[in-house]
Amino acid sequence: MSTEVRTDAGRLWSRLMDMAKVGATSGGGSNRQALSDDDQAGRDLFIEWVQQAGCSIELDGVGNLFARRSGTDPDAPPVVMGSHLDTQPTGGRFDGVYGVLGGLEVIEALNDASVSTRAPLEVAVWTNEEGSRFPVSMMGSAVWAGVSDLDSTKALTDRSGVTVGAELDRLRWSGTAAFGKPLSAYLELHIEQGPILEASGSSIGVVTGVQGIRWFEVTFEGFAAHAGTTPMDRRRDPARALADTLHGVYELAAADADRVRVTPAQFASEPASPNTVPSKVSFTVDMRHPDAAGLDRLEAALRSLVAEAADQHGCGHRIDVINDCAPVVFDPRCIGAVEAAARLCGFAFEHIGSGAGHDACHVAMRAPAGMIFIPCQDGLSHNEEESIEPDDAGRGADVLLHAALELAGVADDTANAGRTTEC
Ligand code: GLV
Ligand code: MN
Ligand code: MN
């Protein structure tokens, strides 16, 4: 295998391992929830690395960070690579981190080979992709793309009432970079987070799009009463409405197991007492479907299940949509560049749809966007045991490198160095 420009899989792996030490969990994963001190510490480490690689840094008003390597054409919009450094509370070491450090590795490889691109290259670190602390996922990219407005995003609170705005101020993450600036293209490298590539033996997933995602917060209001003395038939128990709803929601998924995903979570009751019938129960439901119409059908079914359950058990109810991301089809030129790069490198690849949401979904509304997946062990993600092979990580970074070169263009004086015939 020979190449004139190639990423260094060893350097990438060692940085992934160094980043995983920030907010490391006892189960071998990472806990760097959005806008926390550990999220800040992860960014500090990244900033140190990109500055050593010669990049300049800018932040926008919601804390999205962009590290820039100049191109030779000052008028060309950048090709942006990136993902997120925040994690789930019991997150793995690679979800998001791999796309950010993969972008940095591309820049390092071009520096090593003294290759200039025509368009600038940037690595984006989007704020709060996970949505586990502040409950909207892909938050920073949503504001950047104009899908959410800055003021209502800053007003979002975590479970202890701290706002996004207060944390942005505390960490000094509010910068002045323009939202939604023109991009030549956006490429997000990510672990698949599912079992498809591992099962088929493909090293690379050329991602064609992302399924639709909608989150609901459901609340049932009942009546607090004594657990020992109140006969079962004299209760207005919101937990029973919850039970009926859960049953119905899982039935929806069972009826179309290939396409429908439902995830009830974040259950809370008030008063939180074991010997009082709760007066209020709330929970979230994450629903996913590859088609917009399918997602609408799921929402309608959820609404009627909730209304029926509330009625049956004498409860009030309320449903709020707290997150909504339509299905996305990626840009054909980006898909083509990823496929061409995988071919050039001689890696087995296949086209694949994404089951997980990514910042690329929002960026795709403003700029040509695409994604690259690599396999992960047992398809496991959002789990401390999430794992990938170092060689797969290197292959994905090589595909990102060559796709980015294709989209950014190699500057004339380094044209020969940038062009490869094999990896
Ligand atoms: C992103 O982590 C998602 O919820 O798909
Ligand atoms: Mn992710
Ligand atoms: Mn995630």
Side-chain angles (χ1 to χ4, degrees), residues 6-360:
R6 199 164 168 215
T7 61
D8 178 339
R11 175 171 55 198
L12 172 58
W13 190 257
S14 111
R15 284 184 167 161
L16 285 164
M17 294 305 104
D18 284 346
M19 184 60 76
K21 290 180 196 148
V22 183
T25 62
S26 55
S30 296
N31 178 4
R32 288 190 305 275
Q33 290 181 65
L35 292 149
S36 64
D37 289 348
D38 283 323
D39 196 11
Q40 169 77 70
R43 279 192 172 201
D44 286 344
L45 186 58
F46 173 72
I47 289 169
E48 189 187 314
W49 288 332
V50 279
Q51 285 181 336
Q52 280 163 8
C55 295
S56 57
I57 303 277
E58 60 176 15
L59 288 163
D60 67 19
V62 72
N64 296 317
L65 184 154
F66 302 89
R68 185 179 179 97
R69 180 183 194 259
S70 301
T72 55
D73 179 352
D75 297 327
V79 169
V80 178
M81 306 167 284
S83 195
H84 58 99
L85 290 175
D86 69 306
T87 72
Q88 292 282 317
T90 51
R93 297 169 295 169
F94 306 102
D95 174 3
V97 186
Y98 173 53
V100 172
L101 299 187
L104 168 59
E105 182 50 42
V106 166
I107 285 176
E108 295 276 20
L110 294 175
N111 287 348
D112 291 348
S114 303
V115 172
S116 303
T117 52
R118 190 184 65 76
L121 293 180
E122 293 188 7
V123 183
V125 183
W126 302 104
T127 302
N128 185 25
E129 191 277 345
E130 293 291 6
S132 38
R133 178 178 175 203
F134 296 101
V136 58
S137 61
M138 303 168 260
M139 182 189 88
S141 54
V143 176
W144 183 89
V147 174
S148 305
D149 75 275
L150 181 59
D151 288 342
S152 53
T153 298
K154 280 184 169 178
L156 289 170
T157 54
D158 70 5
R159 297 206 145 212
S160 58
V162 177
T163 62
V164 167
E167 290 295 62
L168 287 172
D169 291 345
R170 181 179 72 85
L171 299 170
R172 296 175 207 264
W173 282 17
S174 280
T176 54
F179 293 129
K181 67 183 175 188
L183 311 185
S184 290
Y186 175 74
L187 292 173
E188 186 161 346
L189 174 65
H190 209 282
I191 63 169
E192 182 205 332
Q193 306 182 276
I196 296 169
L197 296 177
E198 188 180 53
S200 64
S202 298
S203 302
I204 297 293
V206 178
V207 187
T208 51
V210 182
Q211 69 178 339
I213 305 169
R214 210 167 285 168
W215 289 3
F216 305 88
E217 183 165 61
V218 181
T219 307
F220 289 116
E221 302 259 9
F223 191 72
H226 196 288
T229 57
T230 316
M232 296 305 283
D233 63 353
R234 291 182 58 173
R235 301 180 180 202
R236 287 164 46 205
D237 184 352
R240 298 198 65 171
L242 163 71
D244 287 1
T245 305
L246 291 187
H247 180 75
V249 161
Y250 289 121
E251 294 277 292
L252 293 173
D256 189 358
D258 283 345
R259 295 188 301 168
V260 172
R261 301 284 179 270
V262 296
T263 307
Q266 289 194 315
F267 306 95
S269 67
E270 285 176 28
S273 164
N275 52 354
T276 298
V277 175
S279 58
K280 186 163 136 181
V281 162
S282 64
F283 59 104
T284 55
V285 187
D286 173 319
M287 297 185 124
R288 305 196 187 203
H289 196 287
D291 313 324
L295 204 52
D296 288 344
R297 281 196 301 277
L298 285 175
E299 172 167 350
L302 174 69
R303 286 184 183 280
S304 60
L305 282 169
V306 166
E308 235 169 77
D311 198 41
Q312 180 76 22
H313 299 289
C315 295
H317 72 275
R318 181 190 161 111
I319 304 181
D320 293 308
V321 177
I322 55 169
N323 204 4
D324 194 4
C325 199
V328 172
V329 177
F330 284 134
D331 175 72
R333 206 172 145 239
C334 291
I335 294 173
V338 171
E339 180 171 330
R343 240 183 248 289
L344 180 74
C345 293
F347 301 147
F349 67 88
E350 65 186 280
H351 285 198
I352 185 171
S354 174
H358 298 284
D359 293 303

Side-chain angles (χ1 to χ4, degrees), residues 383-403:
N383 187 301
E384 292 159 284
E385 289 176 27
E386 177 184 272
S387 183
I388 60 173
E389 290 300 324
D391 285 350
D392 284 329
R395 284 190 268 268
D398 275 336
V399 171
L400 178 64
L401 166 68
H402 289 286

